[in-house]
Amino acid sequence: MFDFVVVGCGYAGAVSARIVAENLNKKILILEKRSHIAGNMYDDYNEVGVLVHRYGPHISAMNDKRTYDFLSRFTDWVPYEHKVLAQIDDKKVPLPINLNSIKTLFPEKYNELSNVLISEYGFGSSVPVLSMMKSNIEEIKNLADFLYRKVYLEYTIKMWDLDPKQIDASVTGRIPFRVSFDDRHFLHKYQVMPKNGFTKLFENMLDHPNIKIELGINAKDRISVDFNKNSIFYDGKKFDGKLIYTGSLDELCGYEYGRLPYRSLKFKFDNYNENYVQPCAVLNWPDKRPETRRTEMKRLTGQILPNVTTTITEYPGKYNENSLDFNEPYYPIIKKEYLDTYRKYVDKLENIKNFYYTGRLACYKYYNMEDAILSAMKFVDDNFIKEHNE
Ligand SMILES: Cc1cc2nc3c(=O)[nH]c(=O)nc-3n(C[C@H](O)[C@H](O)[C@H](O)COP(=O)(O)OP(=O)(O)OC[C@H]3O[C@@H](n4cnc5c(N)ncnc54)[C@H](O)[C@@H]3O)c2cc1C
């Protein structure tokens, strides 16, 4: 029998498994319901030879040296600075909005506007659009109102399916305006892409004699929890090893307190017989059309492949596991009532002494990849490694 069973083979599950495998020398079984490893980071080559991210475009932007050093054991990197353009009416401007964006949007007012912005906030600063909306300098206030309407409002409405009245300017207005010419989307210390793709990185991470992976297995077909006995059962037999769970807690508990809601995405993949079809990796559409953005994969990965290119267009929708298009839970809907429901699941599982959870689904949080990795590392340290070293 295995010492550890890990459910889910995304970053949370794979990082936990690798650290346990090599530091504790324990046998680990990973159960993954999809037919592949790597969770939402999964990539593969499509029918025309382009490397595509099957669950939407993913960029490795990291600040933490421990994450970067850990992943660097399993991949070489290519440098990559992510650039996003937003289409505002007939113009394409850098996002986050900066002085270059203003120059394109308002060429005739640019000198005056940039002088006002620089003297008010200082060159190089980053100012939430909400504070600009509250400015008593008329040019700044008008600019902020324009940006709020044209860049954030419609995007938020379609992304989260909200009525405009429900949109709190204090949330959307936190998005920064950059008083600089820095067009990079991320300002992270490490901005790289794995040289041979994310799936290869995962293959290397999981290549350890103590790790076995079974794909196409939903944990609920193997694992059950008896809440009366506070015990976990594996294939009907009591399991005394440790269970690390990175799936959804509501599913594990049979949705006893209701389902935790998510927003989902439909991805449309298009191939073209051209070198490139757009001037940047990501083109955002913050207007009323149903799509939110389109990514050109070759611009993201740096893949050299002449006369063919692939884009991914994203359409947001309400998650429902039976939906044809929106059947993956991507973005938790963070509201007090749902967090209260989530808490009930956590409390219910708390008495199961060999149950542990980490990752974006089990924590019901939006984690970027670095969050998922760092919290998995901390979780393994706190629960297993420290105890082992004492
Ligand atoms: C569209 C999109 C774009 C993103 N872009 C970025 C980006 O550019 N940069 C970035 O840093 N982050 C990005 N993220 C976030 C990134 O995807 C996550 O941080 C990361 O995948 C989290 O890893 P995880 O292991 O927690 O979850 P996942 O990768 O989702 O892995 C969980 C795994 O558990 C499996 N599982 C669940 N339930 C069960 C079960 N019952 N039985 C068996 N297996 C189960 C799932 O199939 C899945 O493979 C993006 C997310 C989305 C949705």
PDB file of all heavy atoms in Angstrom, residues 7-8 10-12 31-34 39-40 55 57-59 217-219 245 247 251 265 330-331 359-360 366-369, ligand 1:
ATOM      1  N   VAL A   7      -4.520  13.453  -4.544  1.00  0.00           N
ATOM      2  CA  VAL A   7      -5.593  13.575  -5.539  1.00  0.00           C
ATOM      3  C   VAL A   7      -5.372  14.854  -6.339  1.00  0.00           C
ATOM      4  O   VAL A   7      -5.353  15.952  -5.779  1.00  0.00           O
ATOM      5  CB  VAL A   7      -6.982  13.584  -4.862  1.00  0.00           C
ATOM      6  CG1 VAL A   7      -8.070  13.913  -5.875  1.00  0.00           C
ATOM      7  CG2 VAL A   7      -7.243  12.237  -4.212  1.00  0.00           C
ATOM      8  N   GLY A   8      -5.190  14.696  -7.656  1.00  0.00           N
ATOM      9  CA  GLY A   8      -4.987  15.846  -8.534  1.00  0.00           C
ATOM     10  C   GLY A   8      -3.528  15.989  -8.901  1.00  0.00           C
ATOM     11  O   GLY A   8      -2.649  15.909  -8.028  1.00  0.00           O
ATOM     12  N   GLY A  10      -2.114  18.683 -10.744  1.00  0.00           N
ATOM     13  CA  GLY A  10      -1.684  20.027 -11.130  1.00  0.00           C
ATOM     14  C   GLY A  10      -0.460  20.399 -10.305  1.00  0.00           C
ATOM     15  O   GLY A  10       0.157  19.530  -9.664  1.00  0.00           O
ATOM     16  N   TYR A  11      -0.130  21.690 -10.275  1.00  0.00           N
ATOM     17  CA  TYR A  11       1.056  22.107  -9.512  1.00  0.00           C
ATOM     18  C   TYR A  11       0.930  21.712  -8.035  1.00  0.00           C
ATOM     19  O   TYR A  11       1.896  21.236  -7.437  1.00  0.00           O
ATOM     20  CB  TYR A  11       1.254  23.619  -9.610  1.00  0.00           C
ATOM     21  CG  TYR A  11       2.255  24.030 -10.667  1.00  0.00           C
ATOM     22  CD1 TYR A  11       1.960  25.034 -11.574  1.00  0.00           C
ATOM     23  CD2 TYR A  11       3.509  23.434 -10.739  1.00  0.00           C
ATOM     24  CE1 TYR A  11       2.882  25.433 -12.538  1.00  0.00           C
ATOM     25  CE2 TYR A  11       4.437  23.819 -11.695  1.00  0.00           C
ATOM     26  CZ  TYR A  11       4.120  24.816 -12.589  1.00  0.00           C
ATOM     27  OH  TYR A  11       5.043  25.194 -13.533  1.00  0.00           O
ATOM     28  N   ALA A  12      -0.269  21.906  -7.448  1.00  0.00           N
ATOM     29  CA  ALA A  12      -0.405  21.646  -6.006  1.00  0.00           C
ATOM     30  C   ALA A  12      -0.079  20.179  -5.703  1.00  0.00           C
ATOM     31  O   ALA A  12       0.714  19.877  -4.796  1.00  0.00           O
ATOM     32  CB  ALA A  12      -1.810  21.997  -5.544  1.00  0.00           C
ATOM     33  N   LEU A  31      -3.704  10.198  -8.002  1.00  0.00           N
ATOM     34  CA  LEU A  31      -4.899   9.897  -8.805  1.00  0.00           C
ATOM     35  C   LEU A  31      -5.301  11.173  -9.528  1.00  0.00           C
ATOM     36  O   LEU A  31      -5.450  12.222  -8.896  1.00  0.00           O
ATOM     37  CB  LEU A  31      -6.061   9.463  -7.912  1.00  0.00           C
ATOM     38  CG  LEU A  31      -5.860   8.222  -7.046  1.00  0.00           C
ATOM     39  CD1 LEU A  31      -7.098   7.986  -6.187  1.00  0.00           C
ATOM     40  CD2 LEU A  31      -5.561   6.996  -7.910  1.00  0.00           C
ATOM     41  N   GLU A  32      -5.479  11.076 -10.831  1.00  0.00           N
ATOM     42  CA  GLU A  32      -5.856  12.259 -11.620  1.00  0.00           C
ATOM     43  C   GLU A  32      -7.031  11.889 -12.512  1.00  0.00           C
ATOM     44  O   GLU A  32      -6.968  10.920 -13.257  1.00  0.00           O
ATOM     45  CB  GLU A  32      -4.650  12.728 -12.457  1.00  0.00           C
ATOM     46  CG  GLU A  32      -4.962  13.761 -13.510  1.00  0.00           C
ATOM     47  CD  GLU A  32      -5.687  15.017 -12.999  1.00  0.00           C
ATOM     48  OE1 GLU A  32      -5.144  15.690 -12.133  1.00  0.00           O
ATOM     49  OE2 GLU A  32      -6.814  15.288 -13.495  1.00  0.00           O
ATOM     50  N   LYS A  33      -8.089  12.678 -12.444  1.00  0.00           N
ATOM     51  CA  LYS A  33      -9.287  12.293 -13.210  1.00  0.00           C
ATOM     52  C   LYS A  33      -9.162  12.566 -14.702  1.00  0.00           C
ATOM     53  O   LYS A  33      -9.827  11.917 -15.505  1.00  0.00           O
ATOM     54  CB  LYS A  33     -10.540  12.929 -12.616  1.00  0.00           C
ATOM     55  CG  LYS A  33     -10.697  14.405 -12.774  1.00  0.00           C
ATOM     56  CD  LYS A  33     -12.050  14.824 -12.155  1.00  0.00           C
ATOM     57  CE  LYS A  33     -12.186  16.317 -12.087  1.00  0.00           C
ATOM     58  NZ  LYS A  33     -13.375  16.734 -11.334  1.00  0.00           N
ATOM     59  N   ARG A  34      -8.338  13.525 -15.070  1.00  0.00           N
ATOM     60  CA  ARG A  34      -8.150  13.783 -16.498  1.00  0.00           C
ATOM     61  C   ARG A  34      -7.223  12.708 -17.088  1.00  0.00           C
ATOM     62  O   ARG A  34      -6.597  11.950 -16.359  1.00  0.00           O
ATOM     63  CB  ARG A  34      -7.537  15.167 -16.713  1.00  0.00           C
ATOM     64  CG  ARG A  34      -8.476  16.293 -16.296  1.00  0.00           C
ATOM     65  CD  ARG A  34      -7.763  17.628 -16.398  1.00  0.00           C
ATOM     66  NE  ARG A  34      -8.638  18.733 -16.063  1.00  0.00           N
ATOM     67  CZ  ARG A  34      -8.210  19.945 -15.784  1.00  0.00           C
ATOM     68  NH1 ARG A  34      -6.912  20.233 -15.788  1.00  0.00           N
ATOM     69  NH2 ARG A  34      -9.064  20.915 -15.496  1.00  0.00           N
ATOM     70  N   GLY A  39      -2.484  19.306 -14.704  1.00  0.00           N
ATOM     71  CA  GLY A  39      -3.642  20.135 -14.333  1.00  0.00           C
ATOM     72  C   GLY A  39      -3.927  21.182 -15.398  1.00  0.00           C
ATOM     73  O   GLY A  39      -3.865  20.899 -16.608  1.00  0.00           O
ATOM     74  N   ASN A  40      -4.203  22.385 -14.957  1.00  0.00           N
ATOM     75  CA  ASN A  40      -4.541  23.448 -15.907  1.00  0.00           C
ATOM     76  C   ASN A  40      -3.323  23.986 -16.657  1.00  0.00           C
ATOM     77  O   ASN A  40      -3.470  24.827 -17.543  1.00  0.00           O
ATOM     78  CB  ASN A  40      -5.242  24.604 -15.172  1.00  0.00           C
ATOM     79  CG  ASN A  40      -6.675  24.270 -14.871  1.00  0.00           C
ATOM     80  OD1 ASN A  40      -7.214  23.269 -15.361  1.00  0.00           O
ATOM     81  ND2 ASN A  40      -7.317  25.086 -14.046  1.00  0.00           N
ATOM     82  N   TYR A  55      -5.857  24.665 -21.387  1.00  0.00           N
ATOM     83  CA  TYR A  55      -6.782  25.284 -20.425  1.00  0.00           C
ATOM     84  C   TYR A  55      -6.529  26.794 -20.334  1.00  0.00           C
ATOM     85  O   TYR A  55      -6.568  27.377 -19.255  1.00  0.00           O
ATOM     86  CB  TYR A  55      -6.652  24.612 -19.055  1.00  0.00           C
ATOM     87  CG  TYR A  55      -6.975  23.133 -19.113  1.00  0.00           C
ATOM     88  CD1 TYR A  55      -5.974  22.195 -19.378  1.00  0.00           C
ATOM     89  CD2 TYR A  55      -8.291  22.677 -18.961  1.00  0.00           C
ATOM     90  CE1 TYR A  55      -6.281  20.839 -19.469  1.00  0.00           C
ATOM     91  CE2 TYR A  55      -8.597  21.320 -19.049  1.00  0.00           C
ATOM     92  CZ  TYR A  55      -7.584  20.410 -19.308  1.00  0.00           C
ATOM     93  OH  TYR A  55      -7.886  19.066 -19.402  1.00  0.00           O
ATOM     94  N   PRO A  57      -4.172  30.361 -21.769  1.00  0.00           N
ATOM     95  CA  PRO A  57      -2.753  30.736 -21.784  1.00  0.00           C
ATOM     96  C   PRO A  57      -2.170  30.882 -20.385  1.00  0.00           C
ATOM     97  O   PRO A  57      -2.781  31.506 -19.519  1.00  0.00           O
ATOM     98  CB  PRO A  57      -2.772  32.098 -22.488  1.00  0.00           C
ATOM     99  CG  PRO A  57      -4.153  32.619 -22.285  1.00  0.00           C
ATOM    100  CD  PRO A  57      -5.050  31.438 -22.243  1.00  0.00           C
ATOM    101  N   HIS A  58      -1.009  30.299 -20.182  1.00  0.00           N
ATOM    102  CA  HIS A  58      -0.342  30.350 -18.877  1.00  0.00           C
ATOM    103  C   HIS A  58       1.067  30.910 -19.011  1.00  0.00           C
ATOM    104  O   HIS A  58       1.850  30.443 -19.836  1.00  0.00           O
ATOM    105  CB  HIS A  58      -0.297  28.956 -18.253  1.00  0.00           C
ATOM    106  CG  HIS A  58      -1.606  28.572 -17.631  1.00  0.00           C
ATOM    107  ND1 HIS A  58      -2.684  28.148 -18.370  1.00  0.00           N
ATOM    108  CD2 HIS A  58      -2.013  28.578 -16.335  1.00  0.00           C
ATOM    109  CE1 HIS A  58      -3.694  27.905 -17.551  1.00  0.00           C
ATOM    110  NE2 HIS A  58      -3.309  28.150 -16.313  1.00  0.00           N
ATOM    111  N   ILE A  59       1.365  31.850 -18.153  1.00  0.00           N
ATOM    112  CA  ILE A  59       2.676  32.512 -18.176  1.00  0.00           C
ATOM    113  C   ILE A  59       3.347  32.301 -16.822  1.00  0.00           C
ATOM    114  O   ILE A  59       2.695  32.441 -15.791  1.00  0.00           O
ATOM    115  CB  ILE A  59       2.495  34.033 -18.441  1.00  0.00           C
ATOM    116  CG1 ILE A  59       1.934  34.225 -19.831  1.00  0.00           C
ATOM    117  CG2 ILE A  59       3.792  34.813 -18.291  1.00  0.00           C
ATOM    118  CD1 ILE A  59       0.502  34.605 -19.858  1.00  0.00           C
ATOM    119  N   ILE A 217      -8.722   8.574 -13.383  1.00  0.00           N
ATOM    120  CA  ILE A 217      -9.390   8.018 -12.193  1.00  0.00           C
ATOM    121  C   ILE A 217      -9.946   9.166 -11.357  1.00  0.00           C
ATOM    122  O   ILE A 217      -9.185   9.995 -10.841  1.00  0.00           O
ATOM    123  CB  ILE A 217      -8.388   7.240 -11.293  1.00  0.00           C
ATOM    124  CG1 ILE A 217      -7.669   6.139 -12.072  1.00  0.00           C
ATOM    125  CG2 ILE A 217      -9.080   6.698 -10.038  1.00  0.00           C
ATOM    126  CD1 ILE A 217      -8.506   4.933 -12.388  1.00  0.00           C
ATOM    127  N   ASN A 218     -11.261   9.196 -11.215  1.00  0.00           N
ATOM    128  CA  ASN A 218     -11.845  10.168 -10.293  1.00  0.00           C
ATOM    129  C   ASN A 218     -11.726   9.609  -8.887  1.00  0.00           C
ATOM    130  O   ASN A 218     -12.144   8.473  -8.623  1.00  0.00           O
ATOM    131  CB  ASN A 218     -13.312  10.425 -10.646  1.00  0.00           C
ATOM    132  CG  ASN A 218     -13.844  11.637  -9.884  1.00  0.00           C
ATOM    133  OD1 ASN A 218     -13.525  11.830  -8.720  1.00  0.00           O
ATOM    134  ND2 ASN A 218     -14.638  12.447 -10.550  1.00  0.00           N
ATOM    135  N   ALA A 219     -11.147  10.409  -7.995  1.00  0.00           N
ATOM    136  CA  ALA A 219     -10.892   9.930  -6.635  1.00  0.00           C
ATOM    137  C   ALA A 219     -12.148   9.384  -5.981  1.00  0.00           C
ATOM    138  O   ALA A 219     -12.080   8.465  -5.159  1.00  0.00           O
ATOM    139  CB  ALA A 219     -10.323  11.074  -5.797  1.00  0.00           C
ATOM    140  N   TYR A 245      -5.349  16.169  -0.747  1.00  0.00           N
ATOM    141  CA  TYR A 245      -6.466  16.354  -1.674  1.00  0.00           C
ATOM    142  C   TYR A 245      -6.375  17.723  -2.332  1.00  0.00           C
ATOM    143  O   TYR A 245      -6.333  18.741  -1.642  1.00  0.00           O
ATOM    144  CB  TYR A 245      -7.767  16.237  -0.872  1.00  0.00           C
ATOM    145  CG  TYR A 245      -8.954  15.939  -1.738  1.00  0.00           C
ATOM    146  CD1 TYR A 245      -9.267  14.628  -2.100  1.00  0.00           C
ATOM    147  CD2 TYR A 245      -9.768  16.959  -2.203  1.00  0.00           C
ATOM    148  CE1 TYR A 245     -10.355  14.347  -2.903  1.00  0.00           C
ATOM    149  CE2 TYR A 245     -10.862  16.687  -3.005  1.00  0.00           C
ATOM    150  CZ  TYR A 245     -11.142  15.378  -3.352  1.00  0.00           C
ATOM    151  OH  TYR A 245     -12.218  15.102  -4.155  1.00  0.00           O
ATOM    152  N   GLY A 247      -8.537  18.428  -5.082  1.00  0.00           N
ATOM    153  CA  GLY A 247      -9.809  18.639  -5.789  1.00  0.00           C
ATOM    154  C   GLY A 247     -10.742  19.498  -4.942  1.00  0.00           C
ATOM    155  O   GLY A 247     -10.344  20.077  -3.923  1.00  0.00           O
ATOM    156  N   GLU A 251     -17.289  18.513  -3.679  1.00  0.00           N
ATOM    157  CA  GLU A 251     -17.477  17.240  -4.394  1.00  0.00           C
ATOM    158  C   GLU A 251     -17.169  16.064  -3.457  1.00  0.00           C
ATOM    159  O   GLU A 251     -17.924  15.092  -3.372  1.00  0.00           O
ATOM    160  CB  GLU A 251     -16.559  17.192  -5.632  1.00  0.00           C
ATOM    161  CG  GLU A 251     -16.750  15.927  -6.454  1.00  0.00           C
ATOM    162  CD  GLU A 251     -15.692  15.752  -7.555  1.00  0.00           C
ATOM    163  OE1 GLU A 251     -14.534  16.169  -7.381  1.00  0.00           O
ATOM    164  OE2 GLU A 251     -16.044  15.165  -8.587  1.00  0.00           O
ATOM    165  N   LEU A 265     -14.791  29.012 -18.529  1.00  0.00           N
ATOM    166  CA  LEU A 265     -14.399  29.593 -19.820  1.00  0.00           C
ATOM    167  C   LEU A 265     -14.586  28.563 -20.912  1.00  0.00           C
ATOM    168  O   LEU A 265     -14.368  27.368 -20.690  1.00  0.00           O
ATOM    169  CB  LEU A 265     -12.906  29.977 -19.808  1.00  0.00           C
ATOM    170  CG  LEU A 265     -12.467  31.114 -18.898  1.00  0.00           C
ATOM    171  CD1 LEU A 265     -10.939  31.155 -18.836  1.00  0.00           C
ATOM    172  CD2 LEU A 265     -13.000  32.453 -19.391  1.00  0.00           C
ATOM    173  N   TYR A 330     -13.121  27.331 -13.035  1.00  0.00           N
ATOM    174  CA  TYR A 330     -11.865  28.099 -13.101  1.00  0.00           C
ATOM    175  C   TYR A 330     -11.737  29.170 -12.027  1.00  0.00           C
ATOM    176  O   TYR A 330     -10.739  29.233 -11.334  1.00  0.00           O
ATOM    177  CB  TYR A 330     -11.708  28.748 -14.478  1.00  0.00           C
ATOM    178  CG  TYR A 330     -11.381  27.752 -15.565  1.00  0.00           C
ATOM    179  CD1 TYR A 330     -12.158  27.658 -16.704  1.00  0.00           C
ATOM    180  CD2 TYR A 330     -10.292  26.901 -15.438  1.00  0.00           C
ATOM    181  CE1 TYR A 330     -11.859  26.742 -17.702  1.00  0.00           C
ATOM    182  CE2 TYR A 330      -9.992  25.974 -16.415  1.00  0.00           C
ATOM    183  CZ  TYR A 330     -10.769  25.901 -17.553  1.00  0.00           C
ATOM    184  OH  TYR A 330     -10.481  24.987 -18.520  1.00  0.00           O
ATOM    185  N   TYR A 331     -12.764  30.025 -11.929  1.00  0.00           N
ATOM    186  CA  TYR A 331     -12.609  31.170 -11.018  1.00  0.00           C
ATOM    187  C   TYR A 331     -13.668  31.085  -9.920  1.00  0.00           C
ATOM    188  O   TYR A 331     -14.860  31.227 -10.186  1.00  0.00           O
ATOM    189  CB  TYR A 331     -12.794  32.494 -11.777  1.00  0.00           C
ATOM    190  CG  TYR A 331     -11.807  32.666 -12.909  1.00  0.00           C
ATOM    191  CD1 TYR A 331     -12.195  32.480 -14.237  1.00  0.00           C
ATOM    192  CD2 TYR A 331     -10.488  33.014 -12.644  1.00  0.00           C
ATOM    193  CE1 TYR A 331     -11.281  32.636 -15.277  1.00  0.00           C
ATOM    194  CE2 TYR A 331      -9.577  33.169 -13.686  1.00  0.00           C
ATOM    195  CZ  TYR A 331      -9.983  32.972 -14.992  1.00  0.00           C
ATOM    196  OH  TYR A 331      -9.078  33.123 -16.008  1.00  0.00           O
ATOM    197  N   GLY A 359      -4.058  23.663  -2.779  1.00  0.00           N
ATOM    198  CA  GLY A 359      -4.382  23.930  -4.193  1.00  0.00           C
ATOM    199  C   GLY A 359      -5.601  24.814  -4.346  1.00  0.00           C
ATOM    200  O   GLY A 359      -6.362  25.039  -3.412  1.00  0.00           O
ATOM    201  N   ARG A 360      -5.807  25.284  -5.561  1.00  0.00           N
ATOM    202  CA  ARG A 360      -6.826  26.311  -5.824  1.00  0.00           C
ATOM    203  C   ARG A 360      -8.242  25.796  -5.619  1.00  0.00           C
ATOM    204  O   ARG A 360      -9.110  26.522  -5.157  1.00  0.00           O
ATOM    205  CB  ARG A 360      -6.667  26.870  -7.241  1.00  0.00           C
ATOM    206  CG  ARG A 360      -6.938  25.815  -8.281  1.00  0.00           C
ATOM    207  CD  ARG A 360      -6.905  26.268  -9.694  1.00  0.00           C
ATOM    208  NE  ARG A 360      -7.475  25.189 -10.488  1.00  0.00           N
ATOM    209  CZ  ARG A 360      -8.708  25.147 -10.951  1.00  0.00           C
ATOM    210  NH1 ARG A 360      -9.513  26.168 -10.768  1.00  0.00           N
ATOM    211  NH2 ARG A 360      -9.133  24.111 -11.628  1.00  0.00           N
ATOM    212  N   TYR A 366      -8.602  31.911  -5.914  1.00  0.00           N
ATOM    213  CA  TYR A 366      -7.882  32.044  -7.176  1.00  0.00           C
ATOM    214  C   TYR A 366      -6.408  32.082  -6.833  1.00  0.00           C
ATOM    215  O   TYR A 366      -5.931  33.008  -6.182  1.00  0.00           O
ATOM    216  CB  TYR A 366      -8.279  33.306  -7.974  1.00  0.00           C
ATOM    217  CG  TYR A 366      -7.423  33.341  -9.229  1.00  0.00           C
ATOM    218  CD1 TYR A 366      -7.772  32.558 -10.319  1.00  0.00           C
ATOM    219  CD2 TYR A 366      -6.226  34.044  -9.272  1.00  0.00           C
ATOM    220  CE1 TYR A 366      -6.954  32.486 -11.438  1.00  0.00           C
ATOM    221  CE2 TYR A 366      -5.407  33.986 -10.386  1.00  0.00           C
ATOM    222  CZ  TYR A 366      -5.780  33.206 -11.462  1.00  0.00           C
ATOM    223  OH  TYR A 366      -4.959  33.126 -12.561  1.00  0.00           O
ATOM    224  N   TYR A 367      -5.701  31.069  -7.233  1.00  0.00           N
ATOM    225  CA  TYR A 367      -4.251  31.043  -7.067  1.00  0.00           C
ATOM    226  C   TYR A 367      -3.617  31.181  -8.429  1.00  0.00           C
ATOM    227  O   TYR A 367      -4.030  30.479  -9.366  1.00  0.00           O
ATOM    228  CB  TYR A 367      -3.808  29.672  -6.546  1.00  0.00           C
ATOM    229  CG  TYR A 367      -3.891  29.447  -5.062  1.00  0.00           C
ATOM    230  CD1 TYR A 367      -3.964  28.145  -4.565  1.00  0.00           C
ATOM    231  CD2 TYR A 367      -3.859  30.488  -4.158  1.00  0.00           C
ATOM    232  CE1 TYR A 367      -4.014  27.896  -3.202  1.00  0.00           C
ATOM    233  CE2 TYR A 367      -3.912  30.245  -2.794  1.00  0.00           C
ATOM    234  CZ  TYR A 367      -3.985  28.956  -2.331  1.00  0.00           C
ATOM    235  OH  TYR A 367      -4.030  28.702  -0.990  1.00  0.00           O
ATOM    236  N   ASN A 368      -2.617  32.055  -8.575  1.00  0.00           N
ATOM    237  CA  ASN A 368      -1.798  31.920  -9.780  1.00  0.00           C
ATOM    238  C   ASN A 368      -0.810  30.793  -9.512  1.00  0.00           C
ATOM    239  O   ASN A 368      -0.798  30.222  -8.427  1.00  0.00           O
ATOM    240  CB  ASN A 368      -1.136  33.248 -10.184  1.00  0.00           C
ATOM    241  CG  ASN A 368      -0.159  33.729  -9.139  1.00  0.00           C
ATOM    242  OD1 ASN A 368       0.422  32.936  -8.406  1.00  0.00           O
ATOM    243  ND2 ASN A 368       0.027  35.027  -9.052  1.00  0.00           N
ATOM    244  N   MET A 369      -0.004  30.431 -10.513  1.00  0.00           N
ATOM    245  CA  MET A 369       0.808  29.226 -10.318  1.00  0.00           C
ATOM    246  C   MET A 369       1.794  29.389  -9.165  1.00  0.00           C
ATOM    247  O   MET A 369       2.028  28.444  -8.419  1.00  0.00           O
ATOM    248  CB  MET A 369       1.514  28.815 -11.613  1.00  0.00           C
ATOM    249  CG  MET A 369       2.524  29.790 -12.083  1.00  0.00           C
ATOM    250  SD  MET A 369       3.686  29.050 -13.199  1.00  0.00           S
ATOM    251  CE  MET A 369       5.176  29.525 -12.344  1.00  0.00           C
TER     252      MET A 369
HETATM  253  C1  LIG B   1      -7.588  30.693 -17.997  1.00  0.00           C
HETATM  254  C2  LIG B   1      -6.546  30.668 -16.912  1.00  0.00           C
HETATM  255  C3  LIG B   1      -5.326  31.250 -17.141  1.00  0.00           C
HETATM  256  C4  LIG B   1      -4.365  31.242 -16.146  1.00  0.00           C
HETATM  257  N1  LIG B   1      -3.177  31.836 -16.407  1.00  0.00           N
HETATM  258  C5  LIG B   1      -2.228  31.841 -15.478  1.00  0.00           C
HETATM  259  C6  LIG B   1      -0.979  32.480 -15.747  1.00  0.00           C
HETATM  260  O1  LIG B   1      -0.764  33.029 -16.819  1.00  0.00           O
HETATM  261  N2  LIG B   1      -0.027  32.447 -14.796  1.00  0.00           N
HETATM  262  C7  LIG B   1      -0.239  31.849 -13.569  1.00  0.00           C
HETATM  263  O2  LIG B   1       0.651  31.885 -12.733  1.00  0.00           O
HETATM  264  N3  LIG B   1      -1.410  31.234 -13.293  1.00  0.00           N
HETATM  265  C8  LIG B   1      -2.406  31.215 -14.215  1.00  0.00           C
HETATM  266  N4  LIG B   1      -3.589  30.588 -13.945  1.00  0.00           N
HETATM  267  C9  LIG B   1      -3.750  29.873 -12.671  1.00  0.00           C
HETATM  268  C10 LIG B   1      -3.167  28.433 -12.734  1.00  0.00           C
HETATM  269  O3  LIG B   1      -3.895  27.668 -13.669  1.00  0.00           O
HETATM  270  C11 LIG B   1      -3.295  27.804 -11.333  1.00  0.00           C
HETATM  271  O4  LIG B   1      -2.608  28.561 -10.387  1.00  0.00           O
HETATM  272  C12 LIG B   1      -2.728  26.403 -11.212  1.00  0.00           C
HETATM  273  O5  LIG B   1      -3.127  25.587 -12.259  1.00  0.00           O
HETATM  274  C13 LIG B   1      -3.192  25.827  -9.879  1.00  0.00           C
HETATM  275  O6  LIG B   1      -2.737  24.515  -9.701  1.00  0.00           O
HETATM  276  P1  LIG B   1      -3.599  23.477  -8.853  1.00  0.00           P
HETATM  277  O7  LIG B   1      -2.800  22.251  -8.766  1.00  0.00           O
HETATM  278  O8  LIG B   1      -4.080  24.107  -7.594  1.00  0.00           O
HETATM  279  O9  LIG B   1      -4.936  23.257  -9.737  1.00  0.00           O
HETATM  280  P2  LIG B   1      -5.140  22.506 -11.137  1.00  0.00           P
HETATM  281  O10 LIG B   1      -4.053  22.843 -12.083  1.00  0.00           O
HETATM  282  O11 LIG B   1      -6.521  22.785 -11.545  1.00  0.00           O
HETATM  283  O12 LIG B   1      -5.009  20.965 -10.752  1.00  0.00           O
HETATM  284  C14 LIG B   1      -6.004  20.265 -10.021  1.00  0.00           C
HETATM  285  C15 LIG B   1      -6.091  18.870 -10.623  1.00  0.00           C
HETATM  286  O13 LIG B   1      -6.912  18.058  -9.771  1.00  0.00           O
HETATM  287  C16 LIG B   1      -7.674  17.202 -10.605  1.00  0.00           C
HETATM  288  N5  LIG B   1      -8.838  16.763  -9.831  1.00  0.00           N
HETATM  289  C17 LIG B   1      -9.811  17.526  -9.291  1.00  0.00           C
HETATM  290  N6  LIG B   1     -10.727  16.754  -8.669  1.00  0.00           N
HETATM  291  C18 LIG B   1     -10.309  15.463  -8.817  1.00  0.00           C
HETATM  292  C19 LIG B   1     -10.847  14.220  -8.401  1.00  0.00           C
HETATM  293  N7  LIG B   1     -11.996  14.144  -7.707  1.00  0.00           N
HETATM  294  N8  LIG B   1     -10.176  13.082  -8.713  1.00  0.00           N
HETATM  295  C20 LIG B   1      -9.005  13.141  -9.423  1.00  0.00           C
HETATM  296  N9  LIG B   1      -8.465  14.314  -9.856  1.00  0.00           N
HETATM  297  C21 LIG B   1      -9.110  15.464  -9.543  1.00  0.00           C
HETATM  298  C22 LIG B   1      -8.051  18.086 -11.778  1.00  0.00           C
HETATM  299  O14 LIG B   1      -8.424  17.316 -12.903  1.00  0.00           O
HETATM  300  C23 LIG B   1      -6.752  18.873 -11.994  1.00  0.00           C
HETATM  301  O15 LIG B   1      -5.901  18.226 -12.927  1.00  0.00           O
HETATM  302  C24 LIG B   1      -4.608  30.616 -14.903  1.00  0.00           C
HETATM  303  C25 LIG B   1      -5.849  30.028 -14.664  1.00  0.00           C
HETATM  304  C26 LIG B   1      -6.818  30.064 -15.655  1.00  0.00           C
HETATM  305  C27 LIG B   1      -8.159  29.456 -15.379  1.00  0.00           C
END
